[in-house]
Amino acid sequence: MTSADHEYWDEPDAHGQLNDYLEKIINSIATPVLVKDKLHRWVLLNDACCAFIGRTREELRGKTDHDFFPKKQADVFWDMDNHVLVTKEEHVNEEELTDTNGVVHSLLTKKNLYVDPSGEPFIVVVITDITDRKRYEAALNESHRQLRILSAHTEAMVEKERTRIAREVHDELGQSLTALKMDCAWLERRFREDQTDLRARTQMMSQLIDDTIITVRRIATELRPEMLDDLGLAATLEWQLQEFRKRTGIDYTTSITPKDIRVADTISTAVFRVFQETLTNIARHAKATEVDLQLCVDAAMLSMRVHDNGVGITFEERNRPTSLGLLGIRERVDFLGGHTEISGEPGRGTTVEIRIPLSHSHIGGTP
Ligand SMILES: Nc1ncnc2c1ncn2[C@@H]1O[C@H](COP(=O)(O)OP(=O)(O)OP(=O)(O)O)[C@@H](O)[C@H]1O
Ligand SMILES: [Mg+2]
């Protein structure tokens, strides 16, 4: 007769005493703990474990998972026991368990092999009920998903409104200014040669109107460049860089393939806004003298990499919760199912890289 044939749970010998002693120790643990023999029989159970299963120790001792749990679940526990018996390695698994009251729990089960002095193997099982944690996790994910949808919706509304204002500013103000300019020219022609004051004043007005027309065009274009719809993403980003160089004196290089990039509106708008924020950051923070833009599109993916040769963003700066500009970049890209990487090296500049998959199934992002 081998030691495996002993019935540990009611044996009055040294084993029984040892079990009483062990039981006292494991009873002081608030987490459910149980020990199984190699035939999967429950040898030791602490109070927390009995309470968890909802039966007395006497009812549970000597039984197996199959006596109390649905077969499908018990089969999983059984397989995991065998895995530990064979590999002799610790094993952690997430499992579902329907208790004796029919309540379904999510469990994190940690199993270890213990071999007693006579060489007999036992499986020590420590159970953590993660049902609440899972529920909170699911609620948090759902809330995150909803917030992301709300944020994208708000962004889309803002974008629509920008487009409307841009058109109105461009068309209405543009037309009125052009009419005023024609009126100025008409007035100027009506003045006599000797009315130099009046002629000079009208010319100044005309000049002011010209400047205002340029300002209006710039405001409209910054709100939402028409060229994004007409000439496409590549031309718009190049134009942004030219304007940026004029404004800041920071030079640029580009590598764009192919030149004629065609992507969905949502994607070109997102990339345009990401680039806009990246350039604003370079102007405000980088102290750079040069920017490099690499844009590459193939059938599956759009990749953009913007590198400046400035001071370099720090780890703390790129992870600060108040870094809303960077958060906006990440959020836009995430929503399109893409990926953002922001890196920096002191004195060697900052790199913002985004990759957006071009299949529509990704839109909505991952929670
Ligand atoms: N190209 C860059 N070079 C160096 N530091 C940068 C660069 N881009 C961002 N940073 C640093 O990262 C921080 C966060 O950038 P982020 O765009 O999120 O915020 P911000 O530009 O300060 O404000 P805003 O919310 O108006 O964009 C910046 O304050 C700056 O310190
Ligand atoms: Mg910023």
Side-chain angles (χ1 to χ4, degrees), residues 276-278 280-282 284-285 323-326 329:
Q276 203 172 35
E277 172 60 25
T278 307
T280 307
N281 276 350
I282 293 171
R284 282 175 63 191
H285 312 294
S323 293
L324 296 183
L326 299 181
I329 291 179

Side-chain angles (χ1 to χ4, degrees), residues 53-290:
I53 300 174
R55 297 292 173 95
T56 64
R57 183 167 293 110
E58 288 63 40
E59 288 175 287
L60 298 173
R61 266 182 177 163
K63 300 291 193 317
T64 72
D65 298 326
H66 280 107
D67 295 317
F68 287 95
F69 307 132
K71 181 174 179 322
K72 221 169 128 193
Q73 294 173 357
D75 283 347
V76 174
F77 304 154
W78 205 273
D79 284 350
M80 295 304 141
D81 291 350
N82 284 339
H83 181 80
V84 174
L85 286 167
V86 171
T87 64
K88 300 182 176 31
E89 280 174 5
E90 178 180 289
H91 190 257
V92 180
N93 196 39
E94 265 193 34
E95 297 159 349
E96 286 222 319
L97 174 111
T98 310
D99 70 14
T100 47
N101 298 317
V103 180
V104 180
H105 298 260
S106 295
L107 305 181
L108 189 71
T109 310
K110 191 166 133 186
K111 292 181 177 173
N112 270 298
L113 192 72
Y114 166 72
V115 181
D116 79 359
S118 68
E120 204 50 41
F122 293 90
I123 305 154
V124 182
V125 188
V126 180
I127 299 165
T128 312
D129 190 342
I130 54 169
T131 314
D132 286 343
R133 199 174 89 193
K134 288 283 228 190
R135 200 177 303 133
Y136 297 142
E137 246 173 49
L140 202 64
N141 279 342
E142 176 56 17
S143 146
H144 188 215
R145 196 183 68 83
Q146 285 174 356
L147 276 177
R148 178 163 285 176
I149 290 172
L150 180 67
S151 148
H153 176 71
T154 313
E155 231 7 279
M157 302 273 286
V158 170
E159 204 60 51
K160 212 168 137 190
E161 193 59 8
R162 277 188 186 134
T163 309
R164 190 187 66 77
I165 298 172
R167 289 229 166 97
E168 222 144 87
V169 166
H170 184 269
D171 297 353
E172 302 283 323
L173 280 184
Q175 273 168 24
S176 306
L177 288 166
T178 310
L180 272 178
K181 179 148 170 75
M182 283 158 69
D183 285 349
C184 271
W186 183 87
L187 269 180
E188 207 187 325
R189 284 198 304 273
R190 298 270 163 320
F191 295 135
R192 293 188 314 268
E193 283 290 323
D194 60 339
Q195 290 177 304
T196 45
D197 277 3
L198 289 173
R199 290 173 73 103
R201 180 58 66 100
T202 327
Q203 275 164 13
M204 273 165 63
M205 278 171 68
S206 182
Q207 184 56 51
L208 188 62
I209 292 167
D210 280 347
D211 294 346
T212 313
I213 288 173
I214 292 170
T215 308
V216 162
R217 281 203 192 122
R218 185 177 51 77
I219 292 172
T221 315
E222 273 170 12
L223 272 167
R224 159 91 201 183
E226 264 184 359
M227 64 170 74
L228 196 54
D229 306 315
D230 304 341
L231 300 179
L233 187 59
T236 309
L237 299 194
E238 292 246 24
W239 164 80
Q240 264 179 304
L241 280 168
Q242 283 162 18
E243 290 296 307
F244 180 73
R245 182 168 58 189
K246 270 191 230 158
R247 229 176 39 243
T248 63
I250 301 175
D251 210 355
Y252 67 85
T253 48
T254 59
S255 153
I256 299 178
T257 45
K259 282 279 173 204
D260 179 25
I261 288 170
R262 301 219 169 269
V263 288
D265 268 7
T266 42
I267 295 178
S268 59
T269 305
V271 174
F272 168 72
R273 295 290 173 212
V274 167
F275 192 56
Q276 203 172 35
E277 172 60 25
T278 307
L279 289 184
T280 307
N281 276 350
I282 293 171
R284 282 175 63 191
H285 312 294
K287 301 190 179 78
T289 55
E290 213 175 288

